[in-house]
Amino acid sequence: MKKIYITLFLLFAMTAQTAFAQGAPGLLGNRFSVFYNMDFFYNVGQYTYNEANKEMPDQPDGMIAATVSMFTNPGVNITRQHNIQLDYSITRFKSIGIGLSYFRNGYGTIQTGQRVDVASKNLTSISGSIFYKTFLRSSGGFAPLGNYYQYGLHANQVQESTRENSMLFDEPRNYIGRQYIIPSFTFTFGRQFIAYKSLLMNVGAEIGTVYPFRGFSLDSLENSMERLALFYTFRFKVGVGLAPF
Amino acid sequence: MLLLAQDFNNYQSLRSSGEIPDAFTQSSSAKYEEAITVNSSKTIKNFHLKSNFGLDELLKSGEVLFNDPISKYVSSIADEILKDDPETRKKLSFYTIKAVSVNAFATDRGEIFVNAGLLAHLNSEAELAFILCHEIQHFVLKHNLNSYVYQDKLKKNTSIYKRNRQYDRVVSQHSYTRNLENEADEMGLKLFLKSKYSISDIAHVFDVLGKAHTTHSNEPFDYTFLETDLIKFHSSYKLKKVNPIVSYEEDDDELSTHPSVKSRREKINGLLKAETNDDRKSFIVSEAEFNRIQKIAIYELCDVLLKYRSYPAAIYHAFLVEKKYEASDYTRKIIIKALYGYAQYRNAERMNEISSSPDSIQGEMQHVFYLLKMLNDDELSILAARHCYDGHKKYPKDLGVEYMTKDMVEDVIIYAIESPDDYFKTSKSENSETVDTNNFAKSAFIDIWEEEAFKKMIENGKRYKEKFDKDDFENMSNSEAYAKYKKLKKKKKKEKEVGLRLGIDSLLFINPAYITIDGRKNKGMKYIESEQKQLKYKEWIMEFADKLDLDVKVLDKNHINSKTTAEAYNDIVLINNWVEEVLDHNMFMICSNYNEILPIVKKYNATKFVYTGAFHVRSRKNLFRQAGNVFMLGTPLSLPYGAYHLFKPKHNMLNFTLVLDFDKHTILMSEGNYTNLRNHDATVKTNLYWSMLQMKRKKKK
């Protein structure tokens, strides 16, 4: 993983080095911008996630009521990925960037039989990314403001874990699962603009895929890789940022 | 003093002098605040807002002069008229406008403007006094305000106007303003009668109004005015009969803001029946002064017409000046500049921008319009080049004429003569005594082609022609043209992406502009915000100048203060005129006021002028699209998109920058960045910074 991060950093540094010679306006001359972004989309078929993290009720009746409510009142669950991104304007209409993301997602399962158990198959992903952004001159964009297209390459370090609640245990039990790295690609269409004074906002929609590409179905979401693929398929983006230097 | 110092042989265009009046130094928003009270209605507030900002725009346009000989003279007549009413006199101030049209007008603030064109048409001081009395009454009776309030009522469809059609509203508005004009005539006459000015002079004022669309004089045009020993015009180029001058005195006034001249004349005549002209005079202040002022006004019109790019009219006015006064270096230079300008536009095939059809011209001036139209491209270029060259020989120290000559002679080679060597060979073998002067295109240079200076210009012309031919797509094969087109396109794209590198260290910023408009519900221009932002914009320029280590000076006509001298104000006006002319021409061309700019360039040590600003409009959103956005809220997938676009306001902004090179008479940088972003300071500043960065950056070695 370290190697991947070092490679990403070197790629960024080399491109930035070339860019320094060309000159770009940036925002008020500040060519670096930092964003906190949240990528989000509705949970699809994962409505049990939050419930799985709760302590099981002491009494069987209460426990049954809780599990039933998972299905009957799922509420609106949003899957989120938190992302810090550093952009550098290389020309008037182009910028490159690196990012670090954190993503956590679970999938609840209910086993019924002699006893009712609730388990959450969780995945935690920390990813490093590089981005290339093109701001649309047709709408008057100039890095880092205006409508843009962004191409992103991500390396996701995924950690699987299981959390199980059972009448047999005094408290939920956690099991560490496998760990693996998976690359993904994204394409974003968005808009960066000034919300107030020099506070930047970023809104957009993103599509993407993981490699190797895999299809998914609601039945197979227990598999963490497929859940990751699903999340990358389509999501919205909202962020705030600054151009400090 | 300036009047006495005026050398008409080398006439210098009118300039302001003395202390700058408060009307120029006080900000428009301050004037607005002064004019309104807490109890002022919305209509009254709107009136003061629009009139203060609108009038200040005119006041600082550079066309308006203060403390100049004409304004001073007009003021002295007002002193005479109002000598028994010092209170009213104190409230009034008089300014000259450098404009050809026959007009004078008053504002609610007590400013009375008199066009130079009006003075050129008048015969006496009494005529001017009658016009001033009329304008003074417009001010005293608050006609501007009343007219606005009435118009506002019509717009709001209140009371009796509610069901009126648009046409009826226009007729109603005009009928109202005609009544105000009649009232100003009547009350103005009363004021006039209190003075000792001659009432018999009033009749000529109405003659002038009836023929206000024509020149101040209609002297028969003499073609020798433009001919030389070697240039004689073919008889077919000379108009046999010109259109007669038609008086518009009896025109129907239903759709006019002013009553017909005939009705005004009759009304005044009716009121004058009981009056006698005993002890009344045509001149009270000074007849000699009037004549000199009129002379200045008539000379000034030639300059104004050049600025308007009305080249044939400028030539005819120069002719009138010579007829009425005397031939001078000034009038000869007007001819040179006018012919040069006309030929440049013809060569650039942009005649539609500058010329009226000769058929639409009335009076003797039609001769000039017709002649210039009839000359073919070669003849016109050669005529202009010959006049320029003769002018250059006569005025060797005049840099403007020198550059025009070089440019024009080179253009003869580039545009007029297909094969210059053959052309000169043929011409050279001919004897000048047998030259067919009717075909002057062949012979116009016969006496000068051996002159070193002329030969050098011809050689330069050949070099340019070669270069242009080489770069001309028409002289290339399809594949060459395509390759060149691709190369140019790529270069342009790269330029846009990484910007220019002009490598300039010293710059003069002219009138930085910032305009913001609210296009929703016809709210219109946000005057006060625009004024504040304009000041900020100026500060940003200086901030970035420091940051980029640029030597920047800002000349801003919109924010002059009590410390600004009349000299500095004149500099701003002259440079502004020059910039406007460069932008109008939008091609390599020497501007008519080139010589006037030279000392200013030296004074500020900057040959690069920057014209920059931001223009922002917040507009109304399309209802159909908004309905689509509401519809999108209905599905979870499209909800974020719909919500964002539903509440996102619609902004349009243009940040523009022009960098003009005085030495090369060209536009070095022309950038207009359109964006749909909001006009946050940071956004506007970034655009400005980018422009200034491009000016500063030096070319890579």
Side-chain angles (χ1 to χ4, degrees):
Chain A
M1 191 63 195
K2 271 183 188 169
K3 276 182 189 170
I4 287 178
Y5 287 144
I6 290 167
T7 313
L8 291 177
F9 178 76
L10 284 176
L11 262 172
F12 174 78
M14 280 167 69
T15 327
Q17 180 72 18
T18 325
F20 263 117
Q22 291 180 318
L27 183 68
L28 298 169
N30 297 347
R31 292 162 72 173
F32 281 98
S33 49
V34 186
F35 280 93
Y36 159 73
N37 296 316
M38 188 174 73
D39 302 331
F40 65 95
F41 199 64
Y42 312 103
N43 268 337
V44 179
Q46 298 173 62
Y47 40 79
T48 56
Y49 168 68
N50 290 331
E51 299 296 334
N53 280 308
K54 286 181 180 171
E55 296 300 310
M56 288 298 286
D58 292 338
Q59 300 301 316
D61 289 349
M63 189 186 68
I64 291 166
T67 50
V68 169
S69 79
M70 291 175 203
F71 295 97
T72 53
N73 297 304
V76 178
N77 285 325
I78 304 282
T79 309
R80 299 173 291 271
Q81 183 178 43
H82 304 277
N83 161 253
I84 299 286
Q85 187 174 332
L86 176 70
D87 276 8
Y88 179 76
S89 310
I90 52 173
T91 70
R92 189 174 162 197
F93 302 114
K94 291 188 176 86
S95 72
I96 52 169
I98 51 173
L100 193 63
S101 310
Y102 174 78
F103 171 59
R104 187 158 180 261
N105 180 259
Y107 183 80
T109 58
I110 297 166
Q111 296 168 3
T112 51
Q114 287 181 330
R115 62 173 197 274
V116 178
D117 291 345
V118 179
S120 170
K121 300 232 169 173
N122 297 325
L123 74 88
T124 306
S125 162
I126 294 174
S127 60
S129 333
I130 53 170
F131 305 101
Y132 174 74
K133 261 184 198 167
T134 302
F135 289 84
L136 300 186
R137 65 186 77 181
S138 57
S139 62
F142 53 90
L145 294 177
N147 296 352
Y148 68 84
Y149 292 125
Q150 176 182 277
Y151 307 90
L153 173 63
H154 314 256
N156 304 280
Q157 187 185 34
V158 180
Q159 172 73 62
E160 286 180 344
S161 64
T162 305
R163 182 181 168 91
E164 196 174 80
N165 270 355
S166 171
M167 291 290 286
L168 299 176
F169 314 140
D170 292 336
E171 54 186 36
R173 288 183 176 181
N174 292 316
Y175 305 100
I176 301 297
R178 64 186 175 124
Q179 193 177 26
Y180 57 92
I181 292 173
I182 181 169
S184 59
F185 310 97
T186 51
F187 171 75
T188 315
F189 177 71
R191 179 178 171 86
Q192 285 178 188
F193 57 94
I194 293 173
Y196 180 70
K197 289 197 170 172
S198 52
L199 182 73
L200 298 168
M201 270 212 81
N202 181 14
V203 290
E206 190 166 87
I207 54 170
T209 183
V210 295
Y211 181 83
F213 174 76
R214 51 183 65 232
F216 48 81
S217 68
L218 294 184
D219 296 336
S220 63
L221 289 174
E222 201 170 329
N223 184 316
S224 62
M225 205 180 286
E226 294 196 2
R227 272 186 276 149
L228 195 67
L230 174 63
F231 184 58
Y232 269 108
T233 302
F234 184 81
R235 56 197 187 174
F236 295 111
K237 186 184 279 290
V238 166
V240 288
L242 290 168
F245 48 88
Chain B
M1 284 306 288
L2 188 68
L3 177 64
L4 295 173
Q6 186 62 270
D7 165 17
F8 285 99
N9 188 46
N10 291 296
Y11 178 79
Q12 289 288 313
S13 65
L14 280 177
R15 294 180 191 184
S16 301
S17 65
E19 199 178 323
I20 299 183
D22 291 345
F24 284 75
T25 54
Q26 203 179 6
S27 72
S28 307
S29 51
K31 287 175 193 167
Y32 165 68
E33 293 296 337
E34 255 179 38
I36 60 165
T37 60
V38 184
N39 301 324
S40 299
S41 68
K42 198 179 168 189
T43 306
I44 301 287
K45 280 182 179 170
N46 274 339
F47 168 77
H48 286 298
L49 187 71
K50 286 179 184 172
S51 69
N52 274 302
F53 279 87
L55 285 170
D56 282 354
E57 187 65 31
L58 168 75
L59 211 56
K60 295 167 188 177
S61 65
E63 307 297 319
V64 178
L65 299 162
F66 56 84
N67 296 329
D68 62 294
I70 298 180
S71 304
K72 283 179 183 172
Y73 176 66
V74 173
S75 299
S76 64
I77 297 172
D79 293 342
E80 178 62 32
I81 297 166
L82 295 169
K83 61 185 172 193
D84 298 329
D85 187 359
E87 277 306 303
T88 306
R89 177 65 190 92
K90 222 191 290 177
K91 292 175 190 165
L92 296 169
S93 42
F94 295 85
Y95 303 103
T96 311
I97 301 185
K98 289 206 244 186
V100 180
S101 56
V102 177
N103 196 20
F105 62 95
T107 71
D108 64 299
R109 301 191 308 208
E111 291 133 351
I112 293 180
F113 299 91
V114 178
N115 284 8
L118 171 67
L119 283 161
H121 280 74
L122 300 180
N123 282 344
S124 72
E125 202 177 292
E127 292 173 23
L128 182 55
F130 177 73
I131 293 164
L132 291 181
C133 288
H134 172 95
E135 298 305 333
I136 289 167
Q137 293 302 352
H138 272 314
F139 162 71
V140 172
L141 299 166
K142 297 187 183 301
H143 281 169
N144 283 327
L145 177 62
N146 295 342
S147 178
Y148 183 86
V149 172
Y150 187 82
Q151 196 177 0
D152 198 56
K153 268 186 192 169
L154 289 175
K155 264 189 194 167
K156 286 176 182 165
N157 287 339
T158 54
S159 67
I160 58 165
Y161 313 107
K162 203 162 188 171
R163 291 183 190 86
N164 284 0
R165 292 178 298 132
Q166 177 69 19
Y167 175 82
D168 294 332
R169 278 185 219 142
V170 172
V171 170
S172 176
Q173 171 67 25
H174 288 177
S175 164
Y176 183 80
T177 53
R178 281 198 303 278
N179 288 339
L180 297 183
E181 286 301 325
N182 281 328
E183 189 182 26
D185 272 350
E186 199 179 322
M187 299 304 287
L189 182 65
K190 280 184 185 167
L191 181 62
F192 182 82
L193 290 173
K194 285 181 189 168
S195 73
K196 288 288 176 193
Y197 280 113
S198 161
I199 55 173
S200 59
D201 288 29
I202 295 174
H204 185 248
V205 173
F206 292 110
D207 294 342
V208 169
L209 291 178
K211 293 180 179 175
H213 57 288
T214 64
T215 50
H216 57 87
S217 175
N218 192 36
E219 293 293 329
F221 184 68
D222 180 358
Y223 284 88
T224 59
F225 185 66
L226 292 175
E227 288 177 338
T228 68
D229 292 345
L230 293 168
I231 296 175
K232 305 288 177 201
F233 302 121
H234 194 272
S235 57
S236 63
Y237 293 177
K238 298 176 183 175
L239 203 58
K240 303 286 178 291
K241 200 178 162 195
V242 297
N243 292 330
I245 291 177
V246 179
S247 171
Y248 295 139
E249 193 168 332
E250 295 182 28
D251 272 14
D252 182 15
D253 59 9
E254 191 186 35
L255 287 173
S256 171
T257 54
H258 283 59
S260 74
V261 177
K262 190 185 172 192
S263 69
R264 291 174 77 178
R265 188 198 290 271
E266 284 170 354
K267 194 172 177 194
I268 293 292
N269 285 344
L271 293 168
L272 285 174
K273 268 181 188 166
E275 301 293 332
T276 62
N277 211 23
D278 299 342
D279 297 332
R280 291 185 171 275
K281 294 176 189 169
S282 294
F283 297 93
I284 295 176
V285 174
S286 163
E287 183 173 356
E289 194 78 336
F290 175 83
N291 290 334
R292 274 205 290 202
I293 291 301
Q294 188 176 55
K295 189 174 179 180
I296 290 174
I298 290 172
Y299 270 67
E300 194 65 33
L301 292 186
C302 298
D303 258 345
V304 174
L305 287 164
L306 277 183
K307 190 172 174 275
Y308 287 176
R309 299 182 290 169
S310 303
Y311 300 118
I315 291 172
Y316 185 68
H317 273 76
F319 170 76
L320 291 180
V321 168
E322 288 200 3
K323 268 277 172 198
K324 185 163 184 175
Y325 303 107
E326 62 273 313
S328 62
D329 291 347
Y330 173 74
T331 50
R332 296 326 294 179
K333 286 178 188 176
I334 291 288
I335 297 166
I336 290 166
K337 290 171 185 174
L339 285 173
Y340 168 77
Y342 195 86
Q344 289 293 313
Y345 274 84
R346 175 81 76 83
N347 286 336
E349 297 177 359
R350 287 168 55 190
M351 289 306 291
N352 57 328
E353 292 178 36
I354 61 156
S355 190
S356 311
S357 161
D359 297 338
S360 66
I361 309 296
Q362 294 177 8
E364 287 292 319
M365 189 163 68
Q366 195 186 358
H367 282 293
V368 186
F369 277 81
Y370 186 78
L371 171 70
L372 294 185
K373 194 190 172 189
M374 291 304 289
L375 291 172
N376 65 36
D377 295 353
D378 298 1
E379 289 168 335
L380 182 67
S381 286
I382 286 165
L383 172 73
R386 183 66 217 226
H387 275 276
C388 284
Y389 191 78
D390 290 346
H392 173 46
K393 276 171 77 176
K394 199 172 175 189
Y395 317 114
K397 287 181 182 170
D398 189 312
L399 277 179
V401 172
E402 183 185 330
Y403 290 142
M404 283 179 190
T405 307
K406 284 178 179 169
D407 190 24
M408 204 59 245
V409 174
E410 284 160 14
D411 279 3
V412 167
I413 305 300
I414 294 165
Y415 295 105
I417 301 165
E418 280 293 318
S419 314
D421 289 328
D422 292 345
Y423 172 84
F424 287 113
K425 204 175 159 188
T426 319
S427 302
K428 204 175 176 179
S429 63
E430 290 171 5
N431 183 334
S432 62
E433 286 174 14
T434 60
V435 163
D436 176 10
T437 49
N438 280 327
N439 182 15
F440 66 82
K442 275 278 184 186
S443 57
F445 300 139
I446 231 162
D447 58 333
I448 52 172
W449 64 47
E450 291 298 342
E451 289 181 14
E452 278 308 311
F454 188 71
K455 270 189 196 166
K456 202 175 166 188
M457 290 178 202
I458 294 288
E459 286 308 313
N460 279 341
K462 281 185 196 172
R463 254 204 331 272
Y464 285 128
K465 188 181 170 66
E466 240 172 66
K467 191 176 176 295
F468 292 149
D469 286 348
K470 205 177 152 191
D471 291 341
D472 194 346
F473 280 96
E474 284 179 10
N475 298 331
M476 294 176 194
S477 67
N478 282 351
S479 58
E480 279 174 340
Y482 183 70
K484 192 174 169 66
Y485 166 75
K486 291 289 277 183
K487 199 177 161 187
L488 283 173
K489 203 176 164 189
K490 200 176 164 187
K491 191 182 164 196
K492 211 167 177 182
K493 194 179 168 191
K494 197 184 166 191
E495 252 178 29
K496 194 143 195 180
E497 179 98 35
V498 297
L500 298 169
R501 291 177 176 275
L502 299 180
I504 305 169
D505 290 320
S506 185
L507 290 150
L508 195 57
F509 277 72
I510 316 293
N511 305 329
Y514 197 123
I515 292 170
T516 175
I517 290 172
D518 193 340
R520 298 167 303 168
K521 295 180 186 171
N522 296 324
K523 284 182 182 169
M525 186 164 160
K526 294 161 105 174
Y527 292 104
I528 294 173
E529 189 185 330
S530 296
E531 190 182 82
Q532 288 165 349
K533 292 268 185 182
Q534 227 167 45
L535 278 170
K536 268 191 174 180
Y537 198 81
K538 220 164 98 176
E539 286 168 15
W540 298 336
I541 290 172
M542 297 318 292
E543 180 189 326
F544 292 138
D546 278 349
K547 192 170 176 177
L548 295 167
D549 194 23
L550 271 166
D551 176 18
V552 164
K553 292 177 192 80
V554 181
L555 289 182
D556 183 7
K557 66 175 182 178
N558 295 313
H559 298 107
I560 52 176
N561 53 42
S562 52
K563 287 178 190 166
T564 313
T565 61
E567 193 187 342
Y569 178 76
N570 287 327
D571 290 347
I572 298 173
V573 168
L574 285 169
I575 293 182
N576 206 45
N577 288 345
W578 182 81
V579 170
E580 278 175 13
E581 216 178 312
V582 170
L583 297 182
D584 282 345
H585 296 325
N586 195 19
M587 61 177 160
F588 180 89
M589 198 173 153
I590 313 300
C591 292
S592 61
N593 72 343
Y594 180 84
N595 289 340
E596 291 176 306
I597 304 297
L598 271 173
I600 303 171
V601 169
K602 280 183 190 155
K603 191 184 348 178
Y604 293 99
N605 190 28
T607 55
K608 312 289 188 290
F609 299 154
V610 185
Y611 194 57
T612 182
F615 184 75
H616 165 255
V617 181
R618 176 157 184 195
S619 36
R620 209 162 70 173
K621 292 172 82 173
N622 183 310
L623 275 177
F624 184 71
R625 283 192 180 177
Q626 282 296 76
N629 291 333
V630 171
F631 180 74
M632 283 191 158
L633 298 177
T635 69
L637 190 64
S638 58
L639 187 140
Y641 178 90
Y644 172 70
H645 285 279
L646 187 65
F647 297 108
K648 178 181 158 291
K650 190 176 176 187
H651 294 279
N652 296 291
M653 192 167 63
L654 176 73
N655 293 276
F656 62 90
T657 303
L658 281 161
V659 181
L660 307 168
D661 188 337
F662 178 76
D663 287 337
K664 294 178 183 166
H665 322 286
T666 47
I667 297 172
L668 290 178
M669 175 178 159
S670 164
E671 199 169 65
N673 297 331
Y674 164 80
T675 168
N676 56 14
L677 294 163
R678 193 177 166 179
N679 63 331
H680 279 290
D681 288 355
T683 314
V684 181
K685 280 175 87 175
T686 299
N687 273 290
L688 177 65
Y689 176 77
W690 172 236
S691 299
M692 290 178 73
L693 184 69
Q694 291 180 79
M695 293 171 209
K696 173 70 184 177
R697 290 189 310 187
K698 291 198 165 35
K699 281 198 174 107
K700 286 184 204 166
K701 285 178 186 170

